[in-house]
Amino acid sequence: MTAAPHISRATGDGRREANAATVLRTVLDHGPVARRTIAQLCGLSPAAVSRQCTDLVRLGLVRELPGLVESRGVGRPQIPIDLNTGTAGEHGTAGPVAGGIHIGVPVSTFGLMDLRGRLLARRHLSHGGPAAGDLPRRVADGMREFLDDSVRGRPLLGVGAALGGWVDPGLGTAVRHDALGWHHRPLAAELARGLGGTEVRIDNHARAIAQSEILFGRPAARRSLVHLFVGNVVDAALGIAGVVHQGPGSGAGDVAHLPVPDSTTPCPCGRTGCLEATVSNTAIALTAAGLGIVPEPDAFLVVDAAAAGDRRADRLLRRRARAVGRAVALLLDVLNPDLVVVTEHSSLLNPAYLEEIRGAAIGLSHVCGDPERIVSPHAGTAALPVAAGTILLNPLFRSPLTTIER
Ligand SMILES: [Zn+2]
């Protein structure tokens, strides 16, 4: 279960907000569900649940499902309620949606999702190579077109944007993104301007995926998790009791230079065996191109080649997976999380690579003997756009009334 919102000494409005969040998250976890069952599940009085449901229906966040009424047992049959994920034309008003943007180095991904974190539409925007200074404008233009095509009359709550590097969500700035050459860039404001004033929230992509696991993924993620992201950049996030840690300046999660046991790969920092230099997509792509496995340094081509039966590509990806697994072992031993979520492209597509990660991690870890604690993101290959949308949805599930009324 998600940690209950902070209720102690709440004022009238604070208590109302906390109760609304409790009801909304209970409906997320158990819907469709009757009001009296919500009261039993979350410990609020039936009267309080009923009041909150009235507010949440009025705000369009939940809806009644009269078609699901069952009259059995004692008492009056109750109309179950669920998150409002309806489309225009169905019973009641259309459910609200959130946009998500993952800003990558060669390509960005747009997504649209409902209140359950389900991806309704997705589109890619290629912007080849390290991007120029006008990338936020181009991304905003692409997103505006995507939203025009996909929202279809549903209320748009706003847009979340996820990217690698050091991001300060409170300030809305990309503090440092080496591959894009961004320093203290006011990204949220730039995207909001390009999207005609739509609310935009940004965060680091590793933290965003961790948050989407907490909100929409496996129950163990709500107790504690470590998320390791392996792409062109390699970074991590830590979540405890439903909260993703940010630390001073929101700098947590920089594992690029974590030393990988048994790696001798040189790193631009001057040392050898750093995690990012050993396992990043960039590193794999350059190695594969150097060996003639792929015509150009592109990690996705390496994964394609392995899937098509290229044994050398497969060996390279297995070797990378085992190096990732050895890094996972270090994280497991330091933090002992209930769950380690690893976002890495080849293991998202082929569970054999996840098994390599698990085997290497369990082989080296001193605290974890259960390979099932190491998993891929619940949203699979949709993890990035779903995580981006979660940046926008997470505050809604914490403070539904003020988030919507604002
Ligand atoms: Zn290094």
Side-chain angles (χ1 to χ4, degrees):
M1 292 293 298
T2 306
H6 199 65
I7 300 177
S8 63
R9 300 189 195 288
T11 61
D13 277 356
R15 191 178 301 116
R16 187 171 147 251
E17 182 73 279
N19 289 352
T22 300
V23 169
L24 190 63
R25 291 167 89 129
T26 305
V27 175
L28 168 68
D29 291 345
H30 300 278
V33 59
R35 287 171 174 81
R36 66 175 160 232
T37 311
I38 296 173
Q40 288 159 6
L41 285 165
C42 71
L44 293 173
S45 71
V49 168
S50 185
R51 243 185 342 265
Q52 299 313 328
C53 287
T54 302
D55 275 354
L56 293 170
V57 167
R58 177 177 54 81
L59 294 172
L61 296 175
V62 306
R63 60 174 176 159
E64 296 187 319
L65 298 173
L68 294 185
V69 171
E70 287 178 37
S71 57
R72 60 189 164 86
V74 293
R76 195 154 50 91
Q78 287 213 340
I79 298 172
I81 64 167
D82 201 357
L83 295 183
N84 186 3
T85 55
T87 52
E90 281 186 352
H91 183 80
T93 56
V97 290
I101 307 173
H102 175 249
I103 300 178
V105 176
V107 63
S108 290
T109 308
F110 305 135
L112 188 75
M113 56 198 259
D114 68 15
L115 288 179
R116 284 205 170 280
R118 291 180 300 213
L119 199 63
L120 306 172
R122 173 171 22 183
R123 184 179 293 172
H124 297 291
L125 173 74
S126 287
H127 37 74
D134 73 338
L135 183 58
R137 186 188 56 76
R138 291 167 60 199
V139 166
D141 287 349
M143 185 64 178
R144 207 171 52 236
E145 272 179 41
F146 168 73
L147 292 173
D148 285 347
D149 295 342
S150 59
V151 169
R152 295 185 191 155
R154 290 169 286 206
L156 178 68
L157 295 169
V159 170
L163 68 161
W166 183 355
V167 180
D168 188 327
L171 295 175
T173 54
V175 179
R176 191 182 72 215
H177 192 306
D178 293 334
L180 293 175
W182 290 352
H183 294 275
H184 299 282
R185 181 134 194 171
L187 182 63
E190 288 184 69
L191 291 174
R193 203 158 48 239
L195 289 168
T198 301
E199 179 176 4
V200 175
R201 290 171 180 265
I202 68 172
D203 204 346
N204 165 275
H205 58 197
R207 282 201 296 262
I209 291 179
Q211 192 63 65
S212 83
E213 296 302 315
I214 289 168
L215 202 55
F216 301 118
R218 300 164 182 85
R222 298 187 177 184
R223 296 193 293 271
S224 59
L225 88 161
V226 165
H227 169 237
L228 180 62
F229 181 90
V230 179
N232 286 308
V233 298
V234 177
D235 44 19
L238 169 67
I240 294 179
V243 176
V244 178
H245 182 63
Q246 297 191 338
S250 304
D254 190 340
V255 292
H257 302 277
L258 187 75
V260 182
D262 300 329
S263 169
T264 55
T265 309
C267 177
C269 79
R271 296 199 306 259
T272 58
C274 294
L275 180 58
E276 187 170 283
T278 305
V279 304
S280 72
N281 281 351
T282 313
I284 293 304
L286 286 170
T287 304
L291 293 170
I293 296 171
V294 290
E296 55 183 298
D298 180 334
F300 293 97
L301 294 181
V302 183
V303 175
D304 291 347
D310 186 319
R311 306 267 302 265
R312 292 181 306 163
D314 177 60
R315 271 199 302 275
L316 195 59
L317 292 173
R318 285 178 189 274
R319 196 167 74 206
R320 190 247 293 255
R322 287 193 297 274
V324 169
R326 294 197 297 277
V328 165
L330 302 182
L331 298 171
L332 271 167
D333 285 0
V334 173
L335 300 161
N336 192 29
D338 287 83
L339 207 60
V340 176
V341 180
V342 179
T343 304
E344 185 273 331
H345 187 62
S346 69
S347 56
L348 284 175
L349 298 177
N350 183 346
Y353 300 115
L354 178 63
E355 291 309 319
E356 292 280 4
I357 294 170
R358 286 172 163 175
I362 299 304
L364 198 60
S365 171
H366 297 276
V367 303
C368 177
D370 178 8
E372 304 283 324
R373 279 167 63 187
I374 304 164
V375 297
S376 291
H378 78 278
T381 55
L384 281 168
V386 165
T390 304
I391 298 169
L392 198 284
L393 287 182
N394 188 46
L396 181 76
F397 281 95
R398 291 193 171 275
S399 315
L401 307 180
T402 48
T403 303
I404 285 285
E405 279 161 3
R406 188 177 62 232

